[in-house]
Amino acid sequence: MLCKICVFTVFLVTLGTWAQNCIPEPVETIELNVSTLSWSSSDNCEDTHYRIVIRSSGILYAHTVSSLSLDVSFLQLCADYSFTITPTANHLLGVETTLLSEIDLPEGTDIVVQNFTGVQIGEGVLIQWHIDENFTSCVEHYHVLSWHEDSDTPDSFNIGQNGYLVKDVAHCMNYRFDVTAHYKSVNGTTAQFNYTVPAKTNKPTLVELRQGSFEINTTWSLEKYSLNRCNVTALYVNGTHFNQTYEIMDAPERPDVLVSITSLRADTMYYFNVSTENTAGVSPAFLIAVQTLEIDPAVE
């Protein structure tokens, strides 16, 4: 009877030792369904838990759970991850199983382009836009259609960044941009943005100067229409003893403006400035100093 008790005791001790030293079998399957990670159970050991490690250029998440699923909605959409699950029982780790997968966009998701801005950089304008930060990894490219007020058909191109530099813009030129985000077979809603390049005015350019004894004749060119569409309304000539305004009916040709200053004194230095006005206001002044000629004694 004593021996039977001894054998039974040894059996219980052996059974307890086996239970403590049970190495859990690996999980056979791991699945990722939108925002839920799930896996099959490891059944050969009691009180089995599961250690989950999520990596993407380093460990992002590590935790141990007793369930067979994990909510991963906190992860960035459309990014690549590795999901490693290791069963553990009585502090013994089993063999790990890894799934490499990308978290896809939920069905029906619309990546909407929004928050357009335009910033002038030198002679160009940088058009930028934004999308929901949860979708920043999802866009493969943006399809852009670009018109300006003289174009019948748009420029069409694909770009990878959320911005586009329009080069050599004309001030007061009107533009239109249609932008669509693309991800795999998903196309977001097309967003439209109208933009007018800010107004600016520049000083006129002196083309010709002719002096007489009693008058000064000058010719001035206005800024080219191809560089500045802002409507020009006037040219101002201001001197010490004279102020003249030349009203301008603006047109794309923008012919030169002839300015004659008369009733002056012979052999006298005159200082005056010339400026233009458009929808941006009055330009900086072109400063000029001109001396009239002496009276020719041979001329009666």
Side-chain angles (χ1 to χ4, degrees):
M1 183 66 179
L2 182 59
C3 290
K4 289 183 180 180
I5 294 175
C6 291
V7 171
F8 182 68
T9 302
V10 171
F11 173 76
L12 292 177
V13 171
T14 303
L15 181 61
T17 303
W18 174 84
Q20 292 178 358
N21 295 320
C22 179
I23 299 176
E25 296 175 347
V27 301
E28 294 184 358
T29 59
I30 304 175
E31 294 182 352
L32 179 63
N33 182 13
V34 186
S35 61
T36 301
L37 183 72
S38 60
W39 54 91
S40 60
S41 62
S42 174
D43 297 326
N44 65 310
C45 297
E46 295 181 358
D47 196 27
T48 299
H49 288 67
Y50 303 91
R51 185 171 187 265
I52 301 99
V53 175
I54 302 174
R55 294 182 176 87
S56 178
S57 302
I59 295 179
L60 296 179
Y61 177 90
H63 195 56
T64 300
V65 300
S66 59
S67 61
L68 297 176
S69 64
L70 178 70
D71 182 359
V72 291
S73 58
F74 60 90
L75 296 177
Q76 181 72 48
L77 292 170
C78 308
D80 292 320
Y81 297 95
S82 70
F83 302 92
T84 300
I85 299 179
T86 307
T88 175
N90 296 306
H91 305 293
L92 294 178
L93 296 177
V95 177
E96 64 185 31
T97 303
T98 297
L99 170 68
L100 301 177
S101 183
E102 177 185 286
I103 299 181
D104 286 327
L105 278 175
E107 186 175 352
T109 299
D110 186 10
I111 302 179
V112 180
V113 175
Q114 55 192 347
N115 299 331
F116 279 93
T117 58
V119 179
Q120 191 155 7
I121 301 177
E123 298 303 317
V125 170
L126 178 62
I127 304 298
Q128 293 181 295
W129 54 85
H130 300 277
I131 60 173
D132 189 309
E133 62 180 7
N134 292 318
F135 304 143
T136 53
S137 298
C138 298
V139 177
E140 295 178 344
H141 68 268
Y142 296 95
H143 181 62
V144 180
L145 297 176
S146 172
W147 291 264
H148 59 75
E149 60 189 71
D150 294 338
S151 61
D152 295 325
T153 58
D155 294 327
S156 176
F157 48 89
N158 296 327
I159 55 176
Q161 67 275 8
N162 63 324
Y164 167 59
L165 179 63
V166 187
K167 298 180 180 179
D168 301 322
V169 299
H171 296 285
C172 293
M173 174 76 89
N174 297 311
Y175 287 86
R176 170 185 160 185
F177 303 93
D178 287 1
V179 183
T180 309
H182 289 256
Y183 170 70
K184 293 184 176 179
S185 60
V186 178
N187 298 332
T189 299
T190 298
Q192 184 180 113
F193 176 54
N194 295 312
Y195 179 80
T196 299
V197 181
K200 183 180 181 181
T201 183
N202 291 308
K203 65 181 69 174
T205 301
L206 178 63
V207 177
E208 185 180 14
L209 169 65
R210 290 180 288 111
Q211 301 144 278
S213 298
F214 305 105
E215 66 179 12
I216 297 171
N217 297 301
T218 57
T219 302
W220 300 88
S221 68
L222 306 175
E223 190 173 16
K224 293 186 178 186
Y225 190 73
S226 61
L227 301 177
N228 195 330
R229 299 295 180 92
C230 303
N231 185 55
V232 180
T233 56
L235 183 139
Y236 300 108
V237 181
N238 298 314
T240 305
H241 301 293
F242 53 84
N243 292 288
Q244 296 179 201
T245 298
Y246 293 79
E247 294 185 358
I248 295 173
M249 297 297 293
D250 200 14
E253 297 78 16
R254 284 191 180 160
D256 294 340
V257 181
L258 305 180
V259 174
S260 293
I261 305 172
T262 60
S263 302
L264 303 178
R265 293 183 178 180
D267 194 23
T268 303
M269 181 69 74
Y270 287 91
Y271 300 90
F272 57 96
N273 58 62
V274 182
S275 56
T276 57
E277 183 176 16
N278 67 9
T279 50
V282 178
S283 73
F286 188 111
L287 305 179
I288 187 170
V290 184
Q291 185 165 339
T292 54
L293 301 180
E294 295 180 355
I295 298 175
D296 187 348
V299 178
E300 295 184 356

